[in-house]
C-alpha cells in the first residue's frame, strides 16, 4: 500500500478496501497527461513566485525523467500505488527529495484527475476524428467509381426504386460527416482547463489559471471550481458521439452482411477480411461486420453506465466519478478498432455490379416511374397509382417485369400508354431523371461528389 494521505488515521487501511478503492490498474493509462499537467502546474507556480526557479528546475527535470523512464520501460508503474497521481508524486519525491513535496501545492487530486481525463479525452477525440476522416475518404472513393452502378433502393427491405451504389454510399458519407462534425464540436466545447479548481473551492494561492490553461492548449480556465472538478459532460458527449458512430457502422455492417449473403451476392468481402468455418468447408463468413455490429452494444453500455453513475452525484467531487474511466476507455478502444477495420473491409470489398443491376431490373422498382408517365400525360396521380397497381398484378401473374409486358396489355389497362413507356421505365432513365439535389441521377450525384471532395479538402 502506498498512499498520499494517512496523517489523521490511526489504523492501516484494510487490504480489500485498499484494492477496492485504488484506480492505478486503469488510470496508469494517462501517465503522460498526468505528467504534462504537473509540468504546467509547476511552471505556473514558479512564475507566480510560489516556487523558486531552482525548485521548478528540479521538479521539471524529475518529472521529465519519470516520463522518459516510463516510456523506455526502465520504470514500471507499480500497482502498489493508489492511483497514477500518487505514483508520479511518490516517485518524484523518491528521486529528488524535498522539492518534490512542493509539486502538489495549490492542487487537489480532484482538479488533477479532472484535468488528466480531459487531456486524455481530447487526444482521443483527435485520433478518432482522424479515423472517421479516413473512412469518409474510402466512402467517397467508392462513390466516385459507382455513379453508374445501378442497384435497387429498399424500404422495409423490399425493393422500392432504383438508385446507384454511389447514392447509397452517399447516405453513409452524410452520416459519418455529421459524426466528424460532432467530434469537432465536442473538442471545441470541452476545451476549458479545470486545473486550479482545487478540491472544489479553488485555492488561496495566487494561481494564474489562465497561464496553465494556455500552456496546456486550452481556450481558458473553467469558470466555476465546483463544476470544474465534477463535470464529466464532455465524456458523456463523446460516449454519445461514439454510440452514434457505432450505430452508423452497425447499420452499414448489417447491409454488408445482407449484400454478402448467397441470396444477394451484391458484394464479396475480401478474403483478408473474412473467416471460415471449422466444420463447413464452403463457408466464408462476414465475421468482421458481425463483430462491429455486435460491439455496438459495448459502447452503448459505456454511455449508459456513465449517465447512471453521474445522475445521483451531489456537488462536487465524489468517488463515484472514478468509475468514469474503465468503460470510457473501452468505448474509445472499441470505436477506434471498429472504424479502422470497417474502413479496411470497405476498401477491399468487391461490388458485383451486374448482380446489383439485375436485381434493380426485377421487383418492379420502376413502378413509380410508370405512374409518373401517366401523370405526365394528364392522369391524376391517385388514378395512375391504381392503374400501375393493376399492371404490376398482371406482370406478377405472368412472372415478367414491367418492361416485358407487350404494349397491347398496357393499353388494355389504360389507353394513355404509348410505345415510349418502355423508354420511361428503363432503369437508366428512371435513375437519371432524378436530378433534384441529393437524388441518385448522374448529374445530381456528380454535384454531390464535387461538394464532398471540396469538403474533404478543407
Ligand atoms: N482516482 C481518483 C479518480 O479517478 C482520483 C481523485 C481522487 N480524489 C479523492 N479525493 N479521493 O477519480
Amino acid at each position: 500500500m502506498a498512499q498520499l494521505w494517512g496523517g489523521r488515521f490511526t489504523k492501516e487501511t484494510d487490504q480489500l478496501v485498499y484494492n477496492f478503492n485504488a484506480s492505478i490498474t486503469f488510470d496508469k493509462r494517462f501517465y503522460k497527461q498526468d505528467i504534462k499537467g504537473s509540468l504546467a502546474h509547476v511552471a505556473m507556480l514558479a512564475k507566480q513566485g510560489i516556487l523558486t526557479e531552482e525548485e521548478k528546475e528540479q521538479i521539471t527535470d524529475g518529472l521529465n525523467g519519470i516520463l522518459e523512464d516510463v516510456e523506455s520501460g526502465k520504470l514500471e508503474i507499480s500497482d502498489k500505488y493508489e492511483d497514477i497521481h500518487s505514483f508520479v508524486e511518490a516517485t518524484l519525491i523518491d528521486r529528488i527529495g524535498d522539492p518534490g513535496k512542493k509539486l502538489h501545492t495549490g492542487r487537489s487530486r480532484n482538479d488533477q484527475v479532472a484535468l488528466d481525463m480531459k487531456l486524455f479525452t481530447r487526444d482521443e477525440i483527435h485520433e478518432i476524428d482522424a479515423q472517421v476522416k479516413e473512412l469518409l475518404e474510402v466512402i467517397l472513393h467508392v462513390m466516385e467509381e459507382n455513379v453508374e452502378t445501378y442497384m435497387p433502393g429498399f424500404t422495409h427491405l423490399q425493393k422500392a426504386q432504383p438508385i446507384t451504389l454511389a447514392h447509397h454510399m452517399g447516405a453513409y458519407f452524410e452520416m459519418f460527416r455529421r459524426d466528424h462534425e460532432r467530434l469537432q464540436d465536442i473538442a471545441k466545447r470541452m476545451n476549458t482547463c479545470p486545473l486550479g479548481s482545487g478540491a472544489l473551492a479553488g485555492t488561496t494561492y495566487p494561481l494564474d489559471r489562465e497561464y496553465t490553461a494556455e500552456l496546456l492548449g486550452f481556450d481558458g480556465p473553467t469558470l466555476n471550481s465546483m463544476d470544474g472538478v465534477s463535470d464529466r459532460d464532455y465524456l458523456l458527449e463523446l460516449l454519445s458521439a461514439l454510440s452514434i458512430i457505432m450505430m452508423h457502422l452497425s447499420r452499414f455492417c448489417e447491409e454488408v452482411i445482407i449484400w454478402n449473403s448467397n441470396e444477394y451476392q451484391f458484394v464479396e468481402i475480401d478474403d483478408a477480411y473474412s473467416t471460415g468455418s471449422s466444420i463447413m468447408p464452403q463457408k466464408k463468413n462476414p465475421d468482421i461486420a458481425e463483430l462491429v455490429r455486435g460491439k455496438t452494444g459495448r459502447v452503448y453500455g459505456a454511455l449508459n453506465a456513465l449517465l447512471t453513475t453521474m445522475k445521483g452525484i451531489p456537488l462536487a467531487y465524489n468517488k463515484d466519478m472514478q468509475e468514469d474511466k474503465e468503460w470510457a476507455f473501452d468505448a474509445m478502444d472499441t470505436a477506434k478498432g471498429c472504424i479502422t477495420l470497417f474502413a479496411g473491409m470497405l476498401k477491399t470489398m468487391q461490388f458485383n455490379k451486374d448482380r446489383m443491376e439485375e436485381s434493380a431490373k426485377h421487383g418492379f422498382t420502376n413502378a413509380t416511374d410508370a405512374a409518373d408517365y401517366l401523370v405526365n400525360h394528364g392522369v391524376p396521380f391517385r388514378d395512375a397509382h391504381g392503374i400501375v397497381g393493376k399492371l404490376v398484378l398482371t406482370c406478377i401473374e405472368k412472372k415478367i417485369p414491367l418492361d416485358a409486358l407487350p404494349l397491347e396489355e398496357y393499353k388494355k389497362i389504360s389507353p394513355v400508354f404509348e410505345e415510349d413507356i418502355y423508354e420511361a421505365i428503363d432503369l437508366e432513365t428512371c435513375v437519371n431523371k432524378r436530378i433534384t439535389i441529393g437524388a441518385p441521377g448522374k448529374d445530381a450525384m456528380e454535384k454531390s461528389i464535387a461538394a464532398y471532395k471540396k469538403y474533404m479538402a478543407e
Side-chain angles (χ1 to χ4, degrees), residues 5 21-24 26-27 30 82-85 108-114 117 199 232 317-325:
W5 41 272
N21 189 51
S23 54
I24 186 116
F26 48 89
D27 64 20
F30 50 55
E82 183 185 333
D83 52 30
I84 189 63
H85 327 298
S108 157
R109 274 187 298 165
N110 298 352
D111 59 346
Q112 188 176 359
V113 78
M117 197 60 190
R232 297 294 183 273
Y317 178 84
N318 294 261
K319 197 57 173 261
D320 318 40
M321 292 168 74
Q322 180 165 289
E323 286 296 311
D324 65 352
K325 294 176 192 64

Side-chain angles (χ1 to χ4, degrees), residues 73-362:
K74 228 166 98 183
L75 176 64
E76 203 202 323
I77 302 176
S78 154
D79 288 357
K80 77 172 201 242
Y81 294 92
E82 183 185 333
D83 52 30
I84 189 63
H85 327 298
S86 316
F87 165 78
V88 173
E89 191 177 329
T91 310
L92 182 72
I93 295 168
D94 252 13
R95 290 187 170 192
I96 69 166
D98 277 347
K101 295 181 184 166
K102 295 192 175 178
L103 167 65
H104 210 51
T105 313
R107 189 175 69 171
S108 157
R109 274 187 298 165
N110 298 352
D111 59 346
Q112 188 176 359
V113 78
L115 171 69
D116 292 2
M117 197 60 190
K118 249 191 177 177
L119 288 173
F120 184 84
T121 303
R122 197 175 63 180
D123 291 344
E124 288 286 317
I125 289 178
H126 293 311
E127 225 180 278
I128 297 166
D129 193 30
Q131 291 187 337
V132 171
K133 275 189 249 167
E134 267 182 57
L135 176 57
L136 282 171
E137 291 287 3
V138 176
I139 295 172
L140 186 52
H141 183 73
V142 179
M143 287 183 74
E144 284 181 83
E145 308 250 286
N146 291 289
V147 175
E148 288 175 275
T149 304
Y150 302 105
M151 65 179 285
F154 297 85
T155 60
H156 314 270
L157 204 55
Q158 307 274 329
K159 289 181 196 176
Q161 291 175 343
I163 54 163
T164 63
L165 181 56
H167 187 242
H168 199 112
M169 288 293 130
Y172 285 103
F173 189 95
E174 287 289 333
M175 293 181 228
F176 291 112
R177 165 161 81 154
R178 287 194 293 273
D179 289 326
H180 157 65
E181 286 167 13
R182 246 186 297 275
L183 291 171
Q184 300 258 311
D185 189 40
I186 299 166
K188 205 164 122 205
R189 188 171 24 259
M190 72 174 282
N191 207 27
T192 51
C193 182
L195 191 62
S197 297
L200 77 161
T203 168
T204 54
Y205 297 97
L207 305 186
D208 185 346
R209 294 195 57 209
E210 269 161 356
Y211 183 66
T212 36
E214 199 191 313
L215 287 180
L216 293 165
F218 288 103
D219 298 330
T222 53
L223 293 184
N224 180 291
S225 59
M226 292 181 81
D227 180 58
V229 291
S230 63
D231 165 38
R232 297 294 183 273
D233 288 5
Y234 66 92
L235 199 53
L236 286 166
E237 284 189 34
L238 175 62
L239 293 177
S240 154
L242 295 184
S243 294
I244 297 175
I245 291 175
M246 291 302 298
M247 180 268 287
H248 290 156
L249 284 175
S250 184
R251 290 182 75 177
F252 211 156
C253 283
E254 173 70 9
E255 300 207 294
V256 168
I257 293 162
I258 294 171
W259 292 354
N260 186 65
S261 69
N262 205 267
E263 282 65 28
Y264 275 74
Q265 296 175 36
F266 280 9
V267 301
E268 170 138 15
I269 300 174
D270 194 80
D271 275 4
Y273 285 87
S274 328
T275 47
S277 157
S278 60
I279 174 169
M280 298 166 281
Q282 85 282 13
K283 294 272 269 186
K284 187 174 146 187
N285 293 329
D287 287 32
I288 298 309
E290 289 168 8
L291 266 175
V292 171
R293 186 177 62 181
K295 283 176 189 289
T296 303
R298 282 168 86 127
V299 179
Y300 290 2
L303 172 62
N304 266 302
L306 186 58
L307 280 170
T308 312
T309 295
M310 295 303 292
K311 76 181 265 294
I313 302 183
L315 287 175
Y317 178 84
N318 294 261
K319 197 57 173 261
D320 318 40
M321 292 168 74
Q322 180 165 289
E323 286 296 311
D324 65 352
K325 294 176 192 64
E326 283 167 288
W327 287 108
F329 292 159
D330 185 82
M332 295 168 195
D333 292 342
T334 302
K336 281 190 291 186
C338 289
I339 300 167
T340 303
L341 275 163
F342 186 87
M345 180 175 70
L346 183 62
K347 206 172 175 172
T348 52
M349 205 157 71
Q350 295 296 320
F351 293 95
N352 192 345
K353 299 182 187 187
D354 294 342
R355 179 93 188 173
M356 285 177 159
E357 184 168 331
E358 219 16 63
S359 169
K361 282 185 178 155
H362 295 93

Side-chain angles (χ1 to χ4, degrees), residues 354-375:
D354 294 342
R355 179 93 188 173
M356 285 177 159
E357 184 168 331
E358 219 16 63
S359 169
K361 282 185 178 155
H362 295 93
F364 306 104
T365 61
N366 49 2
T368 317
D369 299 84
D372 289 345
Y373 173 92
L374 293 173
V375 171

